[in-house]
Amino acid sequence: KITNSKKVLEKVCKVPLISYESIVGEMDEAPIGGKLNVLLFGQIKPYKGVEVLLEALKDEYLQQNTVITIVGKCNDQSYLNQITDKIKTLHNVSFQNRFIELSELKKIVKDIHLLVLPMDIKSSLNSSAAMMAFSLRRTVICPNIGTVQEYYGQNYMYTYDYQTIEEHVDQIKKSIRAAIDDLNNKVSEVLALGIGLGLTAGVILGAIELGLDAAATLLAAAGAGADLTMLLYGVSGIQGKLDACE
């Protein structure tokens, strides 16, 4: 509490965090399988910590197991030069220095597993990008800023604390590695489930490529005796595939 004064507290009200779901609309869950696809979007400014992320990505394991997309407008030419020079040394990072509309962001996010928000905790309390990430049905890698602390439970986020830039770089590395492990574990779970239902690896991996919701639906249908070949190669859309098999 800032104060214990009843008189003051009677004049204070808390405004809940907003959700962008009403303007985002329907979104599929994050895909599973492949390399970890990570997105950083929004206006590019020093407090967003892009250079900290790039420093972490020098890690050879992360370079081999991640695909990083950075999309956002940077109006500071000096800072832009700094980050573009770093990006040139990293083969797994793509950067588009431009503003994007929500419609394009939704298209990009379809192939994204999570968003990374390596913000400077000394100058950041809230993040609209984090709120947008959750509205897009994606989780985040983010320091324990005020925004993420407002959400109930944090086991679905990759949050961390740090004191120095070196600690920040290290925490980003650890968080991305944890996300890679979780992605690999999810693939293993789906494979084990599918094999237990008597499916071939090829069919299971086809389901995985369609995404988490798709894999769950297809495997459930397989358990009910549906023809997975028809499900995978029927009309587009999971419901359409199921309808085609009835």
Side-chain angles (χ1 to χ4, degrees), residues 120-194:
D120 184 347
I121 56 174
K122 293 181 179 179
S123 56
S124 303
L125 176 61
N126 295 308
S127 171
S128 59
M131 291 183 276
M132 177 59 78
F134 300 137
S135 300
L136 291 164
R137 299 187 73 183
R138 297 298 184 269
T139 189
V140 297
I141 293 175
C142 182
N144 274 313
I145 58 173
T147 298
V148 297
Q149 291 182 34
E150 285 291 300
Y151 287 92
Y152 178 75
Q154 295 189 26
N155 58 336
Y156 55 91
M157 308 181 218
Y158 300 91
T159 58
Y160 57 87
D161 297 296
Y162 71 89
Q163 297 295 325
T164 66
I165 292 177
E166 291 76 19
E167 286 181 5
H168 196 179
V169 171
D170 187 54
Q171 290 291 351
I172 292 174
K173 288 181 183 179
K174 290 179 178 177
S175 296
I176 295 178
R177 282 175 173 266
I180 293 171
D181 289 343
D182 288 343
L183 179 62
N184 291 336
N185 290 337
K186 179 59 69 177
V187 172
S188 297
E189 289 173 9
V190 174
L191 279 168
L193 176 59

Side-chain angles (χ1 to χ4, degrees), residues 23-245:
I23 61 172
V24 168
E26 290 294 320
M27 288 291 297
D28 290 331
E29 288 190 20
I32 53 177
K35 293 183 178 181
L36 183 73
N37 281 291
V38 181
L39 174 66
L40 188 156
F41 82 97
Q43 194 168 15
I44 306 298
K45 293 184 176 182
Y47 80 89
K48 296 287 186 70
V50 177
E51 76 284 357
V52 180
L53 170 64
L54 297 176
E55 185 65 27
L57 292 173
K58 290 180 179 179
D59 183 284
E60 186 62 30
Y61 179 79
L62 299 189
Q63 287 194 47
Q64 295 299 322
N65 291 279
T66 63
V67 176
I68 312 296
T69 302
I70 302 173
V71 184
K73 184 64 177 176
C74 181
N75 294 313
D76 183 333
Q77 190 60 49
S78 176
Y79 188 59
L80 177 61
N81 292 340
Q82 178 185 341
I83 61 176
T84 51
D85 285 345
K86 291 180 180 292
I87 289 171
K88 290 176 183 177
T89 67
L90 301 168
H91 65 80
N92 63 326
V93 180
S94 64
F95 172 47
Q96 299 177 46
N97 181 31
R98 62 187 181 87
F99 172 80
I100 57 172
E101 299 285 352
L102 176 59
S103 57
E104 185 177 1
L105 175 62
K106 290 175 62 176
K107 292 178 181 178
I108 293 172
V109 168
K110 284 183 178 180
D111 297 322
I112 296 297
H113 293 107
L114 55 78
L115 281 75
V116 60
L117 307 169
M119 309 181 80
D120 184 347
I121 56 174
K122 293 181 179 179
S123 56
S124 303
L125 176 61
N126 295 308
S127 171
S128 59
M131 291 183 276
M132 177 59 78
F134 300 137
S135 300
L136 291 164
R137 299 187 73 183
R138 297 298 184 269
T139 189
V140 297
I141 293 175
C142 182
N144 274 313
I145 58 173
T147 298
V148 297
Q149 291 182 34
E150 285 291 300
Y151 287 92
Y152 178 75
Q154 295 189 26
N155 58 336
Y156 55 91
M157 308 181 218
Y158 300 91
T159 58
Y160 57 87
D161 297 296
Y162 71 89
Q163 297 295 325
T164 66
I165 292 177
E166 291 76 19
E167 286 181 5
H168 196 179
V169 171
D170 187 54
Q171 290 291 351
I172 292 174
K173 288 181 183 179
K174 290 179 178 177
S175 296
I176 295 178
R177 282 175 173 266
I180 293 171
D181 289 343
D182 288 343
L183 179 62
N184 291 336
N185 290 337
K186 179 59 69 177
V187 172
S188 297
E189 289 173 9
V190 174
L191 279 168
L193 176 59
I195 291 171
L197 292 170
L199 307 179
T200 65
V203 169
I204 301 167
L205 292 174
I208 288 174
E209 288 179 1
L210 291 174
L212 182 56
D213 283 342
T217 303
L218 292 171
L219 293 172
D227 184 338
L228 261 291
T229 302
M230 287 294 292
L231 286 173
L232 287 168
Y233 298 106
V235 295
S236 61
I238 295 305
Q239 191 57 52
K241 291 182 174 67
L242 290 172
D243 293 342
C245 297

